[in-house]
Amino acid sequence: MNRLAVELPGLSLKNPIMPASGCFGFGKEYGNLYDLSQLGAIMIKATTLETRFGNPTPRVAETAAGMLNAIGLQNPGLERVLAEELTRLANHDVPIIANVAGSETEDYVQVAEAISKAPNVKALELNISCPNVKCGGIAFGTDPKLAAELTSAVKQVSSVPVYVKLSPNVSDITVIAKAVEAAGADGITMINTLVGMRLDRKTGKPVIANGTGGLSGPAVKPVAIRMVYEVSKAVNIPIIGMGGVTDAGDVIDFLSAGASAVAVGTANFVNPFVCPEIIHALPALLDELGLENITDLIGRSHAV
Amino acid sequence: MIVQNRMAICSTRQIADNIIEMVLTGNLVNEIVSPGQFVHIRVTDTFEPLLRRPISIASFDKEKEQMTLIFRAEGRGTQLLAAKQIGAEVDALGPLGNGFSAANSVAGETALLIGGGIGVPPLYQLSKELTAKGVHCVHILGFQSATAVFYEEEFTALGETRIVTADGSAGERGFVTDSLARNPVDFKTYYTCGPTPMLHAVQQAFHDKQGFLSFEQRMGCGIGACFACVCETQNGQDLPYVKVCSDGPVFPAGVVAL
């Protein structure tokens, strides 16, 4: 019996740890550093129908215990992701969660339909929360009606379960969560980055060329924990939680808040070996807590 | 191979205004393959500052398992690194990126090495490798002012060296390209590292020559995964962009749009 195993729609995870989309590329670089089959899953970088170059540089700026980014969904486009990236990832025994992005419903649907047929893609992550692109992205994620319609459209064509990635840049995240659940979402991933800005002291102008960027890193963890807590009480579909995870202790917190699995983002930039290190550290933490299985942690914060 | 290595500080000293020379030892050194590669340094075990700092390798000695870093202590991260004492350990990830290849020059040729400010350090290992194989190196090193100048003696020991300062307080006054316009050098290949405007001026001045340029860009991961450090390529290249950290930082002239 594997103490770390977690079963989610479409995903038989050998452990609940996965790199978050946008922080791991398509796995190639990290695959040179360690065996990717150790991971519970991999959330690959957002894929759009066409090749995207992304935003002008500077695209990142450091902030207190965090960073801002405005990459702008740079990716080689659906065709090359299928032919090159997913084919290469098929050499590793690890389920892929494909992050799907677009500008309008039609291109989300086209990408979702095609990418969900790749044999190693076990689930989709519908990106309705990217704060760094002008069209699509967050526009879908901040309007419950639009979010539901898009979820429903993608569900109709997807060959695998659909998880919807929620934006924290809303006044009540449970409204969006309930809307996508009603539209047929199989799960929720949360949170995407918080919109922020850093100014250059000399010029007074934004450091990031895009003006605003998405805040990530340890600084956002309390916001993420609070939102996972709220959403897990509001919906009955599983949550993959993320936001500022840097060690195994943070994983305990996210599971306790109500997540069923946890993604690691910015920490990969600080320590490229962070995911396997967290996986190796989890059994001892379970022992300390007197728990047999990692699933025993899920939703502890809600216990009466 | 890229390794994460806790490297010990063998020596550290200030060699110019805010410029620190730090010698580190560890098995990461065995993995270095070319001058101009860099290491990504975590300056603290806390979250403040969070990200690593990319610092180019000025020279290395595989027998001693030592490498020398030269960096400007300017922001929070590099100031914390500068404050570390001999014996302290530094978390280094590397070696990263593709550096200069000494194979682009052959014995008997003249190579022109042009450095600007904190872009000077990687040219030192390059010059050592080029001169060792019989290439005649001419160094044009640009700095803001006299107090910013470093490694003049080290470069002079390897070949002709011109110091150029923006304010004229040491060597010639002006930019490196002014010096080269006044007193041209007959060379086969140029190698340059420094601020982007300098790279632009150098590439323009020597558009008919073989050249290699090392770029600087804000980085996230340092290994090619985060797409923070991309540069647009010039028209006619296969890719619309390159990543400074993993495709570079050194590119042949004409690849990156300047």
Side-chain angles (χ1 to χ4, degrees), chain A residues 22-25 29-30 33 45 53 57-67 71 74 80 198 207 217-218 246 266 269-273 277, chain B residues 1-4 40 42 47-53 76 91 93 217-221 223-232 239-241 243:
Chain A
C23 300
F24 208 72
E29 295 78 16
Y30 291 90
L33 301 180
K45 190 158 171 52
F53 178 68
T57 59
R59 294 175 165 188
V60 294
E62 204 172 30
T63 60
M67 67 180 284
I71 307 297
Q74 178 161 13
R80 279 181 55 199
R198 181 179 151 193
V207 171
T246 64
T266 303
F269 304 156
V270 180
N271 172 11
F273 299 94
E277 284 177 14
Chain B
M1 195 178 73
I2 298 168
V3 296
Q4 189 179 12
H40 218 17
R42 194 173 173 193
F47 297 148
E48 206 39 43
L50 184 66
L51 298 173
R52 289 174 180 268
R53 298 297 189 263
R76 286 177 304 162
D91 175 349
L93 180 73
Q217 182 62 275
R218 278 169 186 268
M219 288 182 191
C221 68
I223 61 172
C226 78
F227 291 78
C229 67
V230 296
C231 286
E232 278 184 65
L239 272 175
Y241 64 88
K243 293 180 268 192

Side-chain angles (χ1 to χ4, degrees), chain A residues 97-117:
Chain A
I97 301 173
N99 186 294
V100 173
S103 305
E104 45 197 89
T105 306
E106 188 46 39
D107 51 340
Y108 273 101
V109 165
Q110 278 188 50
V111 175
E113 183 167 16
I115 210 165
S116 69
K117 291 194 173 80

Side-chain angles (χ1 to χ4, degrees), chain A residues 128-129 136-144 146-147 165-167 169-170 176:
Chain A
I128 58 166
S129 45
I138 203 168
F140 286 99
T142 50
D143 180 330
L146 287 179
K165 187 166 188 175
L166 300 189
S167 170
N169 303 294
V170 292
I176 308 277

Side-chain angles (χ1 to χ4, degrees), chain A residues 50-292:
Chain A
E50 308 293 345
T51 304
R52 286 211 192 172
F53 178 68
N55 290 325
T57 59
R59 294 175 165 188
V60 294
E62 204 172 30
T63 60
M67 67 180 284
L68 294 165
N69 88 80
I71 307 297
L73 300 182
Q74 178 161 13
N75 79 95
L78 174 65
E79 209 170 298
R80 279 181 55 199
V81 169
L82 283 172
E84 296 167 24
E85 310 295 352
L86 283 168
T87 308
R88 180 176 35 73
L89 282 165
N91 298 323
H92 303 278
D93 175 26
V94 59
I96 304 300
I97 301 173
N99 186 294
V100 173
S103 305
E104 45 197 89
T105 306
E106 188 46 39
D107 51 340
Y108 273 101
V109 165
Q110 278 188 50
V111 175
E113 183 167 16
I115 210 165
S116 69
K117 291 194 173 80
N120 49 338
V121 169
K122 303 300 182 189
L124 300 186
E125 180 180 49
L126 194 54
N127 186 346
I128 58 166
S129 45
C130 177
N132 300 322
V133 289
K134 286 195 176 67
C135 303
I138 203 168
F140 286 99
T142 50
D143 180 330
K145 189 163 169 284
L146 287 179
E149 284 170 6
L150 184 66
T151 302
S152 172
V154 167
K155 269 297 285 179
Q156 280 175 34
V157 298
S158 178
S159 307
V160 295
V162 175
Y163 292 68
V164 180
K165 187 166 188 175
L166 300 189
S167 170
N169 303 294
V170 292
S171 48
D172 184 354
I173 196 166
T174 64
V175 174
I176 308 277
K178 285 191 272 199
V180 299
E181 180 185 38
D186 299 282
I188 282 169
T189 67
M190 60 184 288
I191 58 174
N192 206 319
T193 54
L194 289 140
V195 179
M197 182 182 279
R198 181 179 151 193
L199 302 179
D200 182 287
R201 288 263 160 81
K202 276 187 200 148
T203 65
K205 298 282 196 311
V207 171
I208 290 186
N210 187 53
T212 58
L215 180 65
S216 65
V220 310
K221 189 188 144 196
V223 178
I225 292 285
R226 184 265 295 177
M227 290 188 160
V228 168
Y229 178 87
E230 288 175 350
V231 170
S232 67
K233 284 209 291 192
V235 301
N236 293 307
I237 49 178
I239 297 169
I240 301 175
M242 68 196 80
V245 174
T246 64
D247 61 21
D250 292 333
V251 172
I252 305 287
D253 294 342
F254 270 90
L255 297 175
S256 301
S260 297
V262 175
V264 183
T266 303
N268 288 291
F269 304 156
V270 180
N271 172 11
F273 299 94
V274 67
C275 287
E277 284 177 14
I278 287 175
I279 293 162
H280 292 138
L282 282 172
L285 284 191
L286 287 181
D287 290 342
E288 269 178 43
L289 292 166
L291 298 173
E292 182 54 35

Side-chain angles (χ1 to χ4, degrees), chain B:
Chain B
M1 195 178 73
I2 298 168
V3 296
Q4 189 179 12
N5 192 191
R6 289 197 79 88
M7 304 184 78
I9 299 175
C10 307
S11 74
T12 176
R13 63 183 179 120
Q14 187 173 333
I15 55 173
D17 268 1
N18 297 323
I19 303 291
I20 307 294
E21 177 204 66
M22 183 175 278
V23 180
L24 297 170
T25 182
N27 57 27
L28 181 151
V29 175
N30 299 318
E31 308 293 334
I32 301 172
V33 295
S34 59
Q37 285 190 295
F38 66 97
V39 287
H40 218 17
I41 304 262
R42 194 173 173 193
V43 298
T44 168
D45 291 331
T46 72
F47 297 148
E48 206 39 43
L50 184 66
L51 298 173
R52 289 174 180 268
R53 298 297 189 263
I55 296 176
S56 64
I57 298 165
S59 64
F60 58 88
D61 181 335
K62 292 197 179 187
E63 275 178 31
K64 292 187 191 165
E65 278 198 345
Q66 287 184 348
M67 67 176 182
T68 301
L69 306 181
I70 295 173
F71 60 93
R72 183 187 287 138
E74 193 170 31
R76 286 177 304 162
T78 44
Q79 280 171 4
L80 274 175
L81 182 60
K84 290 185 190 292
Q85 306 291 316
I86 291 172
E89 284 192 337
V90 173
D91 175 349
L93 180 73
L96 302 177
N98 301 295
F100 293 106
S101 172
N104 288 305
S105 293
V106 297
E109 285 180 5
T110 296
L112 182 60
L113 278 60
I114 307 163
I118 206 61
V120 167
L123 299 179
Y124 182 56
Q125 178 70 33
L126 174 66
S127 182
K128 289 212 292 187
E129 294 189 14
L130 289 171
T131 50
K133 64 184 262 187
V135 177
H136 173 61
C137 289
V138 177
H139 315 103
I140 315 292
L141 309 178
F143 299 94
Q144 277 303 315
S145 64
T147 54
V149 176
F150 60 88
Y151 267 40
E152 182 177 3
E153 282 173 31
E154 284 83 349
F155 277 99
T156 302
L158 295 168
E160 181 190 339
T161 300
R162 277 189 224 168
I163 300 295
V164 184
T165 53
D167 65 0
S169 54
E172 299 176 40
R173 178 191 294 269
F175 294 118
V176 289
T177 40
D178 299 332
S179 167
L180 285 161
R182 279 193 297 265
N183 297 297
V185 175
D186 184 24
F187 67 95
K188 184 78 189 299
T189 304
Y190 72 86
Y191 302 87
T192 184
C193 182
T196 306
M198 188 198 89
L199 300 183
H200 182 61
V202 168
Q203 182 172 279
Q204 253 186 345
F206 304 120
H207 57 89
D208 53 344
K209 296 277 193 179
Q210 173 174 254
F212 297 90
L213 300 85
S214 184
F215 288 77
E216 197 178 47
Q217 182 62 275
R218 278 169 186 268
M219 288 182 191
C221 68
I223 61 172
C226 78
F227 291 78
C229 67
V230 296
C231 286
E232 278 184 65
T233 51
Q234 285 191 4
N235 294 337
Q237 301 289 329
D238 294 341
L239 272 175
Y241 64 88
V242 286
K243 293 180 268 192
V244 171
C245 71
S246 58
D247 297 324
V250 175
F251 296 97
V255 169
V256 175
L258 277 168

